[in-house]
Amino acid sequence: YREQSSSQAKREDWAQGVTLLWESGYTEGTVGFGLDLMGMVGLKLDDGARGEGGGGLMPRDKNGSSRDHYGKSAATAKVKYANS
């Protein structure tokens, strides 16, 4: 940030994310059922020195600072008919 009115010279973050995906097949029969599961985790490794963090890699908490970690999960039910 080159503006003199800026209170911060730069922003610097370091984070690592992991995504796990599990996909099932379908049950046997004319109508087959299946399930897919997904999990995501993000970990803040470093948020810079002297208040340089906040570059946008991590979600913010209620106070406006970047969170140390976060996670999400999702499930998808799936159905197939015959060979379609």
Side-chain angles (χ1 to χ4, degrees):
Y1 305 106
R2 295 176 186 244
E3 296 176 18
Q4 293 198 9
S5 62
S6 177
S7 63
Q8 195 172 23
K10 66 177 180 176
R11 291 190 178 182
E12 188 172 80
D13 288 335
W14 184 23
Q16 180 67 47
V18 176
T19 301
L20 301 172
L21 179 62
W22 180 79
E23 297 176 328
S24 76
Y26 292 95
T27 58
E28 293 184 23
T30 304
V31 178
F33 299 93
L35 182 67
D36 294 347
L37 303 173
M38 182 173 61
M40 298 174 283
V41 176
L43 303 169
K44 179 170 62 175
L45 302 176
D46 187 17
D47 61 357
R50 301 172 304 281
E52 295 170 349
L57 290 176
M58 301 295 286
R60 300 209 180 262
D61 61 14
K62 294 177 184 176
N63 300 328
S65 59
S66 61
R67 294 172 46 190
D68 291 335
H69 54 82
Y70 75 99
K72 291 182 180 182
S73 61
T76 303
K78 54 188 182 179
V79 179
K80 76 169 187 159
Y81 178 74
N83 290 326
S84 62

